[in-house]
Amino acid sequence: MVPLSSEGSLTGKAAIVTGGGSGLGRASAIALARAGAHVTVADVNEAGGKETAALVFEEAGGDAEFVRSDVTREEDVEQLVDRAVGRWGRLDCAVNNAGMTGPNGFTADYTLEQWNTTIGLNLTGVFLSLKYEIPALLASGGGSIVNMASGAGLVGFAGLPAYVASKHGVVGLTKAAALEYAQQGIRINAICPGSTRTPMLEGFMGGDPNIERAMTAGIPLGRLGRPDEIAEAVVWLCSDASSFVLGHAMAVDGGSVIQ
Ligand SMILES: NC(=O)c1ccc[n+]([C@@H]2O[C@H](COP(=O)([O-])OP(=O)(O)OC[C@H]3O[C@@H](n4cnc5c(N)ncnc54)[C@H](O)[C@@H]3O)[C@@H](O)[C@H]2O)c1
């Protein structure tokens, strides 16, 4: 019998969260620790990553280690996974969450550099993370990986061509990798958050109440999401409570992409 609540659902497990120094990554790290996991927090932002590791202890009474890691650099990702396995003796879960919206602009106005930077972080970063996490999970006898996609991985948005393409790519990569490793005990899924109040979204809205009103108007529940609401889904997908869920791109978005 699996527990109905997430309490203790990850006891003794070890997890990596990329982009764990802020927003959804921070909330995921804290929620995973509340569920009992040891967490390796990875980020390029040292101050944010260390603060998350401290919050894991203060808010969840859990164990976390911060590792500075840029998910666009293969050697960083390889070292990150080695550090996590070295610290906790195993790897059971990973949340590939580091990402950015990239600049606003229509496709013909986008520069190749803008395109490559956004795809490099949002899509290639997830590929590199999977490449090194999967062997570590196999060595631990299986586990669960959650890739942070977006509603922009399910439907189009004008003015964010690389973001939309990268997040559709994350959903596609999730499905391909899920099929490849299903029989070896690894479940790979994606979460497609709707607009959720994090530093990234605050930056995107730029303090303009009209933008916030317009975004909220597109959400049937009538409000932005909270990071802890996305983190709940992360914990569920990481735990055995979701043992029959594979290759799924799960919208957690107040109903934004219901068609
Ligand atoms: N907030 C939302 O409304 C929303 C909606 C849909 C999807 N998402 C996705 O959720 C994820 C997290 O978003 P957030 O809102 O928490 O953003 P955020 O900006 O608050 O946090 C992102 C974190 O990623 C880190 N990061 C950036 N580049 C990195 C790199 N090369 N290597 C490692 N870490 C790096 C940043 O330092 C930051 O700590 C992103 O993939 C984003 O696309 C967010």
mmCIF file of all heavy atoms in Angstrom, residues 6-18 24-41 56 60 62-63 92-96 144 146 231-239:
data_model
loop_
_atom_site.group_PDB
_atom_site.id
_atom_site.type_symbol
_atom_site.label_atom_id
_atom_site.label_comp_id
_atom_site.label_asym_id
_atom_site.label_seq_id
_atom_site.Cartn_x
_atom_site.Cartn_y
_atom_site.Cartn_z
ATOM 1 N N SER A 6 1.884 12.694 0.937
ATOM 2 C CA SER A 6 3.282 12.626 0.518
ATOM 3 C C SER A 6 4.227 12.518 1.706
ATOM 4 O O SER A 6 5.407 12.272 1.547
ATOM 5 C CB SER A 6 3.639 13.849 -0.329
ATOM 6 O OG SER A 6 3.486 15.014 0.438
ATOM 7 N N GLU A 7 3.709 12.664 2.906
ATOM 8 C CA GLU A 7 4.527 12.573 4.124
ATOM 9 C C GLU A 7 5.302 11.258 4.144
ATOM 10 O O GLU A 7 4.699 10.183 4.117
ATOM 11 C CB GLU A 7 3.580 12.636 5.332
ATOM 12 C CG GLU A 7 4.260 12.740 6.665
ATOM 13 C CD GLU A 7 4.646 14.184 6.986
ATOM 14 O OE1 GLU A 7 3.885 15.087 6.627
ATOM 15 O OE2 GLU A 7 5.722 14.365 7.580
ATOM 16 N N GLY A 8 6.616 11.358 4.140
ATOM 17 C CA GLY A 8 7.436 10.146 4.221
ATOM 18 C C GLY A 8 7.510 9.353 2.932
ATOM 19 O O GLY A 8 8.131 8.286 2.897
ATOM 20 N N SER A 9 6.904 9.873 1.841
ATOM 21 C CA SER A 9 6.854 9.070 0.617
ATOM 22 C C SER A 9 8.217 8.937 -0.053
ATOM 23 O O SER A 9 8.385 8.112 -0.942
ATOM 24 C CB SER A 9 5.843 9.668 -0.374
ATOM 25 O OG SER A 9 6.231 10.978 -0.738
ATOM 26 N N LEU A 10 9.178 9.761 0.365
ATOM 27 C CA LEU A 10 10.511 9.687 -0.240
ATOM 28 C C LEU A 10 11.593 9.449 0.815
ATOM 29 O O LEU A 10 12.762 9.776 0.599
ATOM 30 C CB LEU A 10 10.796 10.984 -1.015
ATOM 31 C CG LEU A 10 9.881 11.214 -2.233
ATOM 32 C CD1 LEU A 10 10.107 12.595 -2.827
ATOM 33 C CD2 LEU A 10 10.110 10.147 -3.294
ATOM 34 N N THR A 11 11.210 8.864 1.939
ATOM 35 C CA THR A 11 12.171 8.620 3.005
ATOM 36 C C THR A 11 13.339 7.767 2.500
ATOM 37 O O THR A 11 13.122 6.739 1.860
ATOM 38 C CB THR A 11 11.477 7.919 4.189
ATOM 39 O OG1 THR A 11 10.468 8.783 4.672
ATOM 40 C CG2 THR A 11 12.464 7.627 5.319
ATOM 41 N N GLY A 12 14.555 8.253 2.761
ATOM 42 C CA GLY A 12 15.749 7.499 2.373
ATOM 43 C C GLY A 12 16.152 7.689 0.922
ATOM 44 O O GLY A 12 17.161 7.137 0.478
ATOM 45 N N LYS A 13 15.374 8.452 0.169
ATOM 46 C CA LYS A 13 15.705 8.684 -1.247
ATOM 47 C C LYS A 13 16.622 9.895 -1.378
ATOM 48 O O LYS A 13 16.654 10.773 -0.506
ATOM 49 C CB LYS A 13 14.433 8.942 -2.064
ATOM 50 C CG LYS A 13 13.371 7.877 -1.914
ATOM 51 C CD LYS A 13 13.703 6.661 -2.732
ATOM 52 C CE LYS A 13 12.541 5.675 -2.724
ATOM 53 N NZ LYS A 13 12.913 4.390 -3.326
ATOM 54 N N ALA A 14 17.324 9.963 -2.498
ATOM 55 C CA ALA A 14 18.191 11.114 -2.785
ATOM 56 C C ALA A 14 17.775 11.742 -4.104
ATOM 57 O O ALA A 14 17.512 11.033 -5.087
ATOM 58 C CB ALA A 14 19.642 10.662 -2.844
ATOM 59 N N ALA A 15 17.700 13.071 -4.092
ATOM 60 C CA ALA A 15 17.189 13.799 -5.261
ATOM 61 C C ALA A 15 18.132 14.921 -5.662
ATOM 62 O O ALA A 15 18.830 15.497 -4.826
ATOM 63 C CB ALA A 15 15.813 14.388 -4.933
ATOM 64 N N ILE A 16 18.114 15.251 -6.948
ATOM 65 C CA ILE A 16 18.786 16.448 -7.467
ATOM 66 C C ILE A 16 17.691 17.396 -7.947
ATOM 67 O O ILE A 16 16.718 16.962 -8.575
ATOM 68 C CB ILE A 16 19.698 16.096 -8.669
ATOM 69 C CG1 ILE A 16 20.954 15.377 -8.213
ATOM 70 C CG2 ILE A 16 20.063 17.354 -9.479
ATOM 71 C CD1 ILE A 16 21.839 14.881 -9.366
ATOM 72 N N VAL A 17 17.852 18.684 -7.669
ATOM 73 C CA VAL A 17 16.960 19.697 -8.250
ATOM 74 C C VAL A 17 17.837 20.725 -8.955
ATOM 75 O O VAL A 17 18.628 21.423 -8.300
ATOM 76 C CB VAL A 17 16.102 20.406 -7.184
ATOM 77 C CG1 VAL A 17 15.190 21.445 -7.846
ATOM 78 C CG2 VAL A 17 15.267 19.398 -6.393
ATOM 79 N N THR A 18 17.726 20.852 -10.280
ATOM 80 C CA THR A 18 18.490 21.892 -10.986
ATOM 81 C C THR A 18 17.684 23.192 -10.961
ATOM 82 O O THR A 18 16.463 23.185 -10.912
ATOM 83 C CB THR A 18 18.809 21.498 -12.438
ATOM 84 O OG1 THR A 18 17.622 21.552 -13.238
ATOM 85 C CG2 THR A 18 19.423 20.108 -12.520
ATOM 86 N N LEU A 24 10.380 27.742 -8.488
ATOM 87 C CA LEU A 24 9.835 26.383 -8.474
ATOM 88 C C LEU A 24 10.869 25.368 -8.006
ATOM 89 O O LEU A 24 10.521 24.370 -7.361
ATOM 90 C CB LEU A 24 9.329 26.009 -9.871
ATOM 91 C CG LEU A 24 8.285 26.945 -10.492
ATOM 92 C CD1 LEU A 24 7.763 26.369 -11.805
ATOM 93 C CD2 LEU A 24 7.135 27.204 -9.527
ATOM 94 N N GLY A 25 12.148 25.609 -8.332
ATOM 95 C CA GLY A 25 13.194 24.687 -7.896
ATOM 96 C C GLY A 25 13.348 24.708 -6.382
ATOM 97 O O GLY A 25 13.483 23.667 -5.741
ATOM 98 N N ARG A 26 13.316 25.915 -5.816
ATOM 99 C CA ARG A 26 13.421 26.025 -4.350
ATOM 100 C C ARG A 26 12.220 25.338 -3.682
ATOM 101 O O ARG A 26 12.393 24.558 -2.734
ATOM 102 C CB ARG A 26 13.482 27.487 -3.931
ATOM 103 C CG ARG A 26 13.367 27.677 -2.429
ATOM 104 C CD ARG A 26 13.633 29.084 -2.008
ATOM 105 N NE ARG A 26 15.042 29.426 -2.227
ATOM 106 C CZ ARG A 26 15.548 30.644 -2.085
ATOM 107 N NH1 ARG A 26 14.768 31.644 -1.742
ATOM 108 N NH2 ARG A 26 16.831 30.867 -2.266
ATOM 109 N N ALA A 27 11.023 25.629 -4.170
ATOM 110 C CA ALA A 27 9.827 25.018 -3.572
ATOM 111 C C ALA A 27 9.873 23.501 -3.713
ATOM 112 O O ALA A 27 9.474 22.767 -2.800
ATOM 113 C CB ALA A 27 8.568 25.581 -4.247
ATOM 114 N N SER A 28 10.396 23.024 -4.838
ATOM 115 C CA SER A 28 10.488 21.571 -5.048
ATOM 116 C C SER A 28 11.485 20.955 -4.073
ATOM 117 O O SER A 28 11.227 19.885 -3.493
ATOM 118 C CB SER A 28 10.923 21.266 -6.486
ATOM 119 O OG SER A 28 9.964 21.744 -7.401
ATOM 120 N N ALA A 29 12.636 21.618 -3.887
ATOM 121 C CA ALA A 29 13.651 21.083 -2.968
ATOM 122 C C ALA A 29 13.077 20.966 -1.557
ATOM 123 O O ALA A 29 13.268 19.944 -0.879
ATOM 124 C CB ALA A 29 14.885 21.986 -2.977
ATOM 125 N N ILE A 30 12.362 21.985 -1.114
ATOM 126 C CA ILE A 30 11.789 21.966 0.246
ATOM 127 C C ILE A 30 10.719 20.881 0.358
ATOM 128 O O ILE A 30 10.668 20.118 1.335
ATOM 129 C CB ILE A 30 11.228 23.358 0.603
ATOM 130 C CG1 ILE A 30 12.379 24.371 0.709
ATOM 131 C CG2 ILE A 30 10.418 23.321 1.898
ATOM 132 C CD1 ILE A 30 11.947 25.826 0.794
ATOM 133 N N ALA A 31 9.884 20.768 -0.675
ATOM 134 C CA ALA A 31 8.802 19.766 -0.631
ATOM 135 C C ALA A 31 9.370 18.343 -0.683
ATOM 136 O O ALA A 31 8.876 17.441 0.008
ATOM 137 C CB ALA A 31 7.839 20.000 -1.786
ATOM 138 N N LEU A 32 10.410 18.136 -1.489
ATOM 139 C CA LEU A 32 11.033 16.802 -1.549
ATOM 140 C C LEU A 32 11.618 16.437 -0.189
ATOM 141 O O LEU A 32 11.500 15.291 0.269
ATOM 142 C CB LEU A 32 12.134 16.781 -2.618
ATOM 143 C CG LEU A 32 11.651 16.814 -4.073
ATOM 144 C CD1 LEU A 32 12.800 17.172 -5.020
ATOM 145 C CD2 LEU A 32 11.026 15.484 -4.484
ATOM 146 N N ALA A 33 12.243 17.427 0.464
ATOM 147 C CA ALA A 33 12.812 17.175 1.794
ATOM 148 C C ALA A 33 11.708 16.875 2.804
ATOM 149 O O ALA A 33 11.857 16.001 3.660
ATOM 150 C CB ALA A 33 13.644 18.370 2.238
ATOM 151 N N ARG A 34 10.581 17.603 2.707
ATOM 152 C CA ARG A 34 9.455 17.320 3.618
ATOM 153 C C ARG A 34 8.966 15.890 3.447
ATOM 154 O O ARG A 34 8.500 15.268 4.399
ATOM 155 C CB ARG A 34 8.288 18.268 3.314
ATOM 156 C CG ARG A 34 8.457 19.611 3.937
ATOM 157 C CD ARG A 34 7.086 20.258 4.231
ATOM 158 N NE ARG A 34 7.321 21.535 4.875
ATOM 159 C CZ ARG A 34 7.083 22.719 4.311
ATOM 160 N NH1 ARG A 34 6.546 22.791 3.116
ATOM 161 N NH2 ARG A 34 7.358 23.823 4.955
ATOM 162 N N ALA A 35 9.067 15.405 2.199
ATOM 163 C CA ALA A 35 8.632 14.024 1.937
ATOM 164 C C ALA A 35 9.698 13.012 2.345
ATOM 165 O O ALA A 35 9.498 11.807 2.207
ATOM 166 C CB ALA A 35 8.276 13.869 0.459
ATOM 167 N N GLY A 36 10.865 13.509 2.812
ATOM 168 C CA GLY A 36 11.874 12.604 3.371
ATOM 169 C C GLY A 36 13.152 12.463 2.569
ATOM 170 O O GLY A 36 14.057 11.743 2.975
ATOM 171 N N ALA A 37 13.240 13.146 1.403
ATOM 172 C CA ALA A 37 14.415 12.962 0.540
ATOM 173 C C ALA A 37 15.589 13.835 0.985
ATOM 174 O O ALA A 37 15.397 14.920 1.521
ATOM 175 C CB ALA A 37 14.054 13.298 -0.903
ATOM 176 N N HIS A 38 16.804 13.350 0.728
ATOM 177 C CA HIS A 38 18.007 14.171 0.782
ATOM 178 C C HIS A 38 18.102 14.888 -0.566
ATOM 179 O O HIS A 38 17.836 14.274 -1.607
ATOM 180 C CB HIS A 38 19.261 13.314 0.961
ATOM 181 C CG HIS A 38 19.206 12.425 2.165
ATOM 182 N ND1 HIS A 38 19.041 12.909 3.433
ATOM 183 C CD2 HIS A 38 19.286 11.081 2.275
ATOM 184 C CE1 HIS A 38 19.037 11.903 4.288
ATOM 185 N NE2 HIS A 38 19.170 10.781 3.608
ATOM 186 N N VAL A 39 18.500 16.150 -0.546
ATOM 187 C CA VAL A 39 18.428 16.927 -1.784
ATOM 188 C C VAL A 39 19.767 17.563 -2.127
ATOM 189 O O VAL A 39 20.404 18.197 -1.276
ATOM 190 C CB VAL A 39 17.364 18.044 -1.676
ATOM 191 C CG1 VAL A 39 17.200 18.743 -3.026
ATOM 192 C CG2 VAL A 39 16.021 17.480 -1.218
ATOM 193 N N THR A 40 20.172 17.417 -3.377
ATOM 194 C CA THR A 40 21.289 18.186 -3.920
ATOM 195 C C THR A 40 20.699 19.323 -4.744
ATOM 196 O O THR A 40 19.975 19.084 -5.712
ATOM 197 C CB THR A 40 22.206 17.305 -4.802
ATOM 198 O OG1 THR A 40 22.727 16.252 -3.997
ATOM 199 C CG2 THR A 40 23.349 18.124 -5.377
ATOM 200 N N VAL A 41 20.989 20.535 -4.298
ATOM 201 C CA VAL A 41 20.456 21.737 -4.951
ATOM 202 C C VAL A 41 21.509 22.245 -5.924
ATOM 203 O O VAL A 41 22.618 22.574 -5.510
ATOM 204 C CB VAL A 41 20.156 22.830 -3.898
ATOM 205 C CG1 VAL A 41 19.679 24.110 -4.562
ATOM 206 C CG2 VAL A 41 19.129 22.322 -2.880
ATOM 207 N N VAL A 56 15.878 24.204 3.352
ATOM 208 C CA VAL A 56 15.522 22.781 3.446
ATOM 209 C C VAL A 56 15.674 22.316 4.892
ATOM 210 O O VAL A 56 14.832 21.584 5.431
ATOM 211 C CB VAL A 56 16.397 21.928 2.492
ATOM 212 C CG1 VAL A 56 16.364 20.453 2.886
ATOM 213 C CG2 VAL A 56 15.934 22.108 1.059
ATOM 214 N N ALA A 60 12.078 22.190 6.546
ATOM 215 C CA ALA A 60 11.701 20.786 6.390
ATOM 216 C C ALA A 60 12.491 19.871 7.313
ATOM 217 O O ALA A 60 12.228 18.664 7.349
ATOM 218 C CB ALA A 60 11.895 20.363 4.927
ATOM 219 N N GLY A 62 15.321 18.909 6.812
ATOM 220 C CA GLY A 62 15.959 17.937 5.918
ATOM 221 C C GLY A 62 17.418 18.226 5.683
ATOM 222 O O GLY A 62 17.979 19.202 6.182
ATOM 223 N N ASP A 63 18.047 17.348 4.891
ATOM 224 C CA ASP A 63 19.462 17.464 4.531
ATOM 225 C C ASP A 63 19.565 17.909 3.087
ATOM 226 O O ASP A 63 18.975 17.280 2.201
ATOM 227 C CB ASP A 63 20.128 16.081 4.600
ATOM 228 C CG ASP A 63 20.633 15.778 5.978
ATOM 229 O OD1 ASP A 63 20.782 16.724 6.760
ATOM 230 O OD2 ASP A 63 20.867 14.588 6.236
ATOM 231 N N ASP A 92 17.900 8.693 -6.647
ATOM 232 C CA ASP A 92 16.584 8.106 -6.915
ATOM 233 C C ASP A 92 15.670 9.020 -7.722
ATOM 234 O O ASP A 92 14.753 8.536 -8.392
ATOM 235 C CB ASP A 92 15.879 7.789 -5.587
ATOM 236 C CG ASP A 92 16.741 6.936 -4.688
ATOM 237 O OD1 ASP A 92 16.807 5.717 -4.928
ATOM 238 O OD2 ASP A 92 17.376 7.485 -3.767
ATOM 239 N N CYS A 93 15.863 10.327 -7.582
ATOM 240 C CA CYS A 93 14.948 11.283 -8.221
ATOM 241 C C CYS A 93 15.745 12.470 -8.753
ATOM 242 O O CYS A 93 16.765 12.843 -8.173
ATOM 243 C CB CYS A 93 13.942 11.870 -7.224
ATOM 244 S SG CYS A 93 13.180 10.696 -6.125
ATOM 245 N N ALA A 94 15.213 13.059 -9.812
ATOM 246 C CA ALA A 94 15.818 14.297 -10.316
ATOM 247 C C ALA A 94 14.715 15.196 -10.844
ATOM 248 O O ALA A 94 13.752 14.721 -11.454
ATOM 249 C CB ALA A 94 16.831 13.988 -11.412
ATOM 250 N N VAL A 95 14.876 16.468 -10.581
ATOM 251 C CA VAL A 95 13.930 17.475 -11.075
ATOM 252 C C VAL A 95 14.732 18.431 -11.950
ATOM 253 O O VAL A 95 15.534 19.216 -11.451
ATOM 254 C CB VAL A 95 13.251 18.226 -9.906
ATOM 255 C CG1 VAL A 95 12.211 19.202 -10.445
ATOM 256 C CG2 VAL A 95 12.632 17.241 -8.922
ATOM 257 N N ASN A 96 14.531 18.314 -13.252
ATOM 258 C CA ASN A 96 15.287 19.124 -14.210
ATOM 259 C C ASN A 96 14.489 20.388 -14.493
ATOM 260 O O ASN A 96 13.621 20.422 -15.356
ATOM 261 C CB ASN A 96 15.556 18.298 -15.473
ATOM 262 C CG ASN A 96 16.409 17.092 -15.144
ATOM 263 O OD1 ASN A 96 17.321 17.186 -14.302
ATOM 264 N ND2 ASN A 96 16.131 15.962 -15.756
ATOM 265 N N SER A 144 12.756 8.066 -10.477
ATOM 266 C CA SER A 144 11.791 8.918 -11.165
ATOM 267 C C SER A 144 12.423 10.269 -11.504
ATOM 268 O O SER A 144 13.121 10.854 -10.667
ATOM 269 C CB SER A 144 10.570 9.123 -10.262
ATOM 270 O OG SER A 144 9.696 10.077 -10.823
ATOM 271 N N VAL A 146 11.557 14.170 -13.151
ATOM 272 C CA VAL A 146 10.535 15.147 -13.538
ATOM 273 C C VAL A 146 11.216 16.287 -14.284
ATOM 274 O O VAL A 146 12.120 16.933 -13.744
ATOM 275 C CB VAL A 146 9.804 15.710 -12.298
ATOM 276 C CG1 VAL A 146 8.780 16.764 -12.718
ATOM 277 C CG2 VAL A 146 9.123 14.587 -11.526
ATOM 278 N N ALA A 231 5.208 22.243 -6.629
ATOM 279 C CA ALA A 231 6.069 21.313 -5.885
ATOM 280 C C ALA A 231 5.301 20.072 -5.423
ATOM 281 O O ALA A 231 5.861 18.976 -5.352
ATOM 282 C CB ALA A 231 6.700 22.035 -4.690
ATOM 283 N N GLU A 232 4.020 20.229 -5.105
ATOM 284 C CA GLU A 232 3.197 19.062 -4.729
ATOM 285 C C GLU A 232 3.190 18.029 -5.854
ATOM 286 O O GLU A 232 3.266 16.817 -5.621
ATOM 287 C CB GLU A 232 1.750 19.494 -4.438
ATOM 288 C CG GLU A 232 1.546 20.162 -3.097
ATOM 289 C CD GLU A 232 1.743 19.206 -1.932
ATOM 290 O OE1 GLU A 232 1.550 17.987 -2.094
ATOM 291 O OE2 GLU A 232 2.104 19.695 -0.846
ATOM 292 N N ALA A 233 3.040 18.540 -7.091
ATOM 293 C CA ALA A 233 3.021 17.632 -8.244
ATOM 294 C C ALA A 233 4.385 16.977 -8.447
ATOM 295 O O ALA A 233 4.487 15.800 -8.810
ATOM 296 C CB ALA A 233 2.594 18.400 -9.500
ATOM 297 N N VAL A 234 5.453 17.752 -8.188
ATOM 298 C CA VAL A 234 6.811 17.203 -8.296
ATOM 299 C C VAL A 234 6.962 16.015 -7.345
ATOM 300 O O VAL A 234 7.430 14.935 -7.727
ATOM 301 C CB VAL A 234 7.870 18.288 -7.982
ATOM 302 C CG1 VAL A 234 9.249 17.670 -7.770
ATOM 303 C CG2 VAL A 234 7.911 19.340 -9.086
ATOM 304 N N VAL A 235 6.560 16.218 -6.084
ATOM 305 C CA VAL A 235 6.721 15.150 -5.086
ATOM 306 C C VAL A 235 5.900 13.923 -5.491
ATOM 307 O O VAL A 235 6.377 12.783 -5.424
ATOM 308 C CB VAL A 235 6.302 15.650 -3.685
ATOM 309 C CG1 VAL A 235 6.257 14.494 -2.685
ATOM 310 C CG2 VAL A 235 7.271 16.721 -3.202
ATOM 311 N N TRP A 236 4.690 14.161 -5.950
ATOM 312 C CA TRP A 236 3.833 13.033 -6.347
ATOM 313 C C TRP A 236 4.470 12.236 -7.485
ATOM 314 O O TRP A 236 4.536 11.009 -7.446
ATOM 315 C CB TRP A 236 2.445 13.548 -6.757
ATOM 316 C CG TRP A 236 1.479 12.449 -7.044
ATOM 317 C CD1 TRP A 236 0.904 11.605 -6.143
ATOM 318 C CD2 TRP A 236 0.991 12.052 -8.334
ATOM 319 N NE1 TRP A 236 0.085 10.707 -6.786
ATOM 320 C CE2 TRP A 236 0.124 10.964 -8.135
ATOM 321 C CE3 TRP A 236 1.202 12.515 -9.632
ATOM 322 C CZ2 TRP A 236 -0.534 10.324 -9.185
ATOM 323 C CZ3 TRP A 236 0.549 11.883 -10.681
ATOM 324 C CH2 TRP A 236 -0.316 10.802 -10.454
ATOM 325 N N LEU A 237 4.976 12.960 -8.492
ATOM 326 C CA LEU A 237 5.579 12.259 -9.636
ATOM 327 C C LEU A 237 6.879 11.569 -9.242
ATOM 328 O O LEU A 237 7.257 10.559 -9.843
ATOM 329 C CB LEU A 237 5.820 13.231 -10.794
ATOM 330 C CG LEU A 237 4.564 13.623 -11.581
ATOM 331 C CD1 LEU A 237 4.885 14.711 -12.606
ATOM 332 C CD2 LEU A 237 3.925 12.416 -12.282
ATOM 333 N N CYS A 238 7.596 12.115 -8.254
ATOM 334 C CA CYS A 238 8.834 11.466 -7.793
ATOM 335 C C CYS A 238 8.559 10.227 -6.949
ATOM 336 O O CYS A 238 9.408 9.340 -6.844
ATOM 337 C CB CYS A 238 9.684 12.450 -6.976
ATOM 338 S SG CYS A 238 10.582 13.642 -7.985
ATOM 339 N N SER A 239 7.383 10.179 -6.327
ATOM 340 C CA SER A 239 7.125 9.110 -5.357
ATOM 341 C C SER A 239 6.417 7.913 -6.011
ATOM 342 O O SER A 239 5.891 8.009 -7.119
ATOM 343 C CB SER A 239 6.248 9.644 -4.222
ATOM 344 O OG SER A 239 4.908 9.736 -4.661
#
